[in-house]
Amino acid sequence: MPQSQLRIVIVGHVDHGKSTLIGRLLNDTGSLPDGKVEQVQEMSRKRGMPFEWAFVMDALQAERDQGITIDTTQIHFKTAQRPYVIIDAPGHTEFLKNMVTGASQADAALLVIDAGEGALEQSRRHAYLLHLLGVRQVAVVINKMDRVDFAKSRYETVAHEIKEYLAELGLFPKAVIPVSARNGDNIVVRNEDQGRWYLGPTVIEQLDAFRPQQTSPDQPLRFPIQDVYKPDDRRILAGRVESGRLRVGDTLRFAPTGASARIVSIEAWNHPETVLSAQAGQSIGVTLDKRIFAERGHVAHHEDAAPVLTHRLGVRLFWLVSEPMQVGRTYTLKIATGEHRVTVEQVTAVINVEDLTSTPGKAVHRNEVAEVTLRSRSPIAVDLAAELPRTGRGVLLDGNDVVGGCLVVEAEDAATNITEVSHTVSGEERASANGHKGGILWLTGLSGAGKSTLAMALERALFDRGWQTFVLDGDNVRNGLNAGLGFSPDDRAENIRRVAETAKLFADAGMVVIASLISPLRDDRARARVIGGDRFHEVYVSADLATCEERDPKGLYKKARAGEIAEFTGVSAPYEAPEQPELVIDTSTLGRSEALAHLLDYVDETLGKASLKSGRELTYVI
């Protein structure tokens, strides 16, 4: 019975014969379409060139003209044992970036080395990349043995050299195969004349001996969220199970928020039967028993086996572009479905791929390998690559360009050396002493809607009653707590996170915190709700844009219309109105006194003495 498909990456120095090897593999396994060989023969004749097996798989005219492969190409063929996909990763230095893309998908690799030239620097780089990308099944193909008369001594010299280097990387080749790709020796058919001293497998025999990478369902569960779908009244969290397994009824916890919920159903596309479980390798969706904040990049796991949550991690990376990586530069780190802004804190060591020695440095240049410390403002859920490669391996982006591939080798747990201290005063005692609960009233709305006016009036009214209360106003916190933040999307999100964390501390202390911020994006407010928990109350201070612009208390709309303020909410940047706020106050129809009265009524009901007795939490919309 045929086995499952195997993905092979073929790497090696330019001109060491990878394309010729692939052409021979396709021909000698009967995988070429009819007429393909004749087509290549005619093309070679017209060009006045000898027949080249490499032209069999060179699909682009530009590739044939340059004589080098310039893209990552997938080629399908099969043997009696199984189907294969060859990921042809380019060997030319200019196209190493494509190799990272190709090799990262591979189950196994063939490293092609010219018998005459041996393992040159680029061959060593490719070997290091295979190590970096976690490809553990490797065979070495020593090509062009016909040019050294299939000399056993030359084979042994090159084999010893490359095996010794691979061993230092922790890679042990399954075989080192002497071949002549041009003549077809030891590809499918053995060379029984010159190469009779070689008793190991042919290339095809070794390929058939490889095994597809298996991610054990017994490993810890990692289910990164790729997207959230709302096809009807359901909310489906979709993604691929990267490791472990999950079942209907399991309680999932989501990193980095810590939110948890139970699986109600598992949705599988084009699967008419009810699905009760899923395991590593399956792409599925799940529905949960309650609505929680979960988005693309969050990682679902079981309570007893969580990923590391870290702001600081050590990676081993391969740098791909001409502009060097430097300490202090900021990039996007993409691991699984998550993307995180990270800053280079330290270049611990730059590794010489020739002899694997390392030296400290402040920059990493093109094609160099280095160990680097990255720091993120927001927590990242990761695993060590040696333990769970799927969530421990990533790429660095500069804008939309891939600039490096990396493995996580060290992750400093955000909670390391931090022990939460229990308060001797309980929340109930604080509420009883204050005569009210602690809470967060999050006032959101357009500039000019009246948030700050309402917030300050509410603070005054509550203080006059003897309540413990304080306003966190958007402009005020930017003069102190968040003075170092700008107005980029990342900085805006961090501004809201810090205010939410500060408001939570106030609320834990028993105070009523009134946070007045535009906070235009639903996702940012959802994160604030996760931080605030049950104490969080979203108040939508509603007023249409025309009303807000007519008021324009700070003259900001006028500046925005004149082009003096970029990305101004409501004019050149969006405002996403709350979908299910606890309270809506329309200040375009209500006067200040009426609006304040409604807000006070809501606060009395939810945080006042009546709520202390009943324990009720109300949704109150006017």
Side-chain angles (χ1 to χ4, degrees), residues 611-622:
S611 70
L612 292 179
K613 295 177 182 178
S614 67
R616 290 184 299 157
E617 293 288 339
L618 304 179
T619 297
Y620 188 91
V621 178
I622 63 171

Side-chain angles (χ1 to χ4, degrees), residues 483-516:
L485 297 177
F487 291 89
S488 67
D490 286 343
D491 280 358
R492 288 174 187 263
E494 175 63 10
N495 177 59
I496 290 169
R497 186 194 71 81
R498 290 186 191 180
V499 172
E501 292 284 5
T502 303
K504 178 182 181 296
L505 293 175
F506 274 91
D508 287 347
M511 300 184 72
V512 176
V513 190
I514 308 160
S516 171

